[in-house]
Amino acid sequence: MPRQRRIALPHLPHHIVQRGHNRHAVFITSDDRVAYLETLAEFRALSGIRLYGYCLMTNHVHLIVDPGAEPANLGKLMKRLAGRHTRRINRLTQRTGTAWNGRYRCSPVDTDAYLLACNRYVELNPVRAGLVAHPAEYPWSSYRTKVGLGTCAWLDPDPVYLALGRSRERRQAAYRAIVGHDIPPAELAFIRTALQRNQL
C-alpha cells in the first residue's frame, strides 16, 4: 500500500496539529515553550512562511501557517520543530525516542470564514481544556497579541483579521468579540473532521 500523504497547497493557510507520543506532555516548563516558539520564529524568518495563529498546550500544539510558494515548507517546519524539541526534552528528562505521536495532522483553510473559525478554535483550546476561563489568561497562544494585550514581532496578521477594521483598535475589539462567542457544535465537528481526513 502506498504511503499516505497530506494535502498541502501554496499560498493557503493550513491548520496543523501535532500531539505528544501517547498524549504525554511535550512541554514541561515555560522554558520549553519559549524554546519551541524561538524555533518557530527562526524558521519563519528563514523560509518566508507566514504564521497566523498558534497555541501550545501541554501535550500538543496548534499552528496556522501559510507556506508561501513552497508547500513543502510545512513539512520542513514540522520536521525542524519536532526534531529540535525532541532533543531538548530528551536531554532534560534523560529519555530517548520521539516526543511526538507520529506524523502531524494538517488541513488546508480555503475560505475567509474558515480561517476565522480555525483561529478561534485554536485560541479557545485552553478554555475548552479547562486551563483558563478566558483566552486572555493563557500566555501561550496568539490571542493576546491579536487583542492588544501583548506583542509578537513574528506573528503575521492574516487577511481576514486585517479586514475586521481600519484601525488597530477596531480590529482588536472586533476579534475580541468574535472569539468571545461560543463555537457552534457543528463548527467544532467540522474542524476536527477536516484534520482527521486530510490525507490522500
Side-chain angles (χ1 to χ4, degrees):
M1 176 181 291
R3 186 179 183 184
Q4 290 181 319
R5 62 184 178 87
R6 297 175 195 82
I7 300 170
L9 302 171
H11 301 298
L12 199 68
H14 293 69
H15 178 194
I16 298 172
V17 178
Q18 188 162 35
R19 297 188 179 279
H21 183 64
N22 290 331
R23 296 184 179 268
H24 291 163
V26 289
F27 300 109
I28 301 167
T29 68
S30 294
D31 287 345
D32 299 335
R33 291 176 169 88
V34 170
Y36 187 94
L37 293 176
E38 286 175 347
T39 302
L40 186 57
E42 176 187 304
F43 189 82
R44 173 193 170 278
L46 289 172
S47 67
I49 66 169
R50 298 182 69 79
L51 179 73
Y52 295 147
Y54 69 89
C55 185
L56 309 186
M57 300 294 284
T58 302
N59 65 1
H60 67 284
V61 300
H62 287 263
L63 305 172
I64 299 179
V65 179
D66 184 333
E70 297 294 335
N73 278 335
L74 294 181
K76 292 176 182 177
L77 167 66
M78 299 312 292
K79 182 177 180 180
R80 177 171 293 197
L81 286 168
R84 186 176 291 182
H85 196 70
T86 292
R87 290 190 294 273
R88 174 184 174 81
I89 294 300
N90 286 352
R91 186 170 60 250
L92 292 173
T93 60
Q94 298 184 336
R95 68 187 187 193
T96 60
T98 182
W100 304 96
N101 187 33
R103 306 176 78 208
Y104 63 91
R105 298 192 179 277
C106 172
S107 173
V109 180
D110 59 356
T111 68
D112 288 352
Y114 190 41
L115 179 56
L116 196 57
C118 285
N119 271 296
R120 179 168 67 171
Y121 175 87
V122 166
E123 293 165 356
L124 283 176
N125 248 255
V127 177
R128 287 194 302 276
L131 299 177
V132 293
H134 191 276
E137 299 169 15
Y138 195 71
W140 305 111
S141 87
S142 45
Y143 177 81
R144 290 178 56 82
T145 297
K146 292 178 185 176
V147 298
L149 297 175
T151 59
C152 180
W154 44 264
L155 184 69
D156 298 294
D158 67 74
V160 180
Y161 177 83
L162 291 174
L164 293 176
R166 290 189 173 184
S167 69
R168 178 182 301 173
E169 292 74 18
R170 287 186 178 182
R171 290 191 292 271
Q172 291 169 351
Y175 192 75
R176 191 180 299 113
I178 290 166
V179 178
H181 289 95
D182 290 337
I183 301 177
E187 186 175 292
L188 274 172
F190 182 87
I191 293 171
R192 289 168 175 166
T193 300
L195 284 166
Q196 294 292 329
R197 72 187 177 198
N198 184 44
Q199 290 183 331
L200 291 176

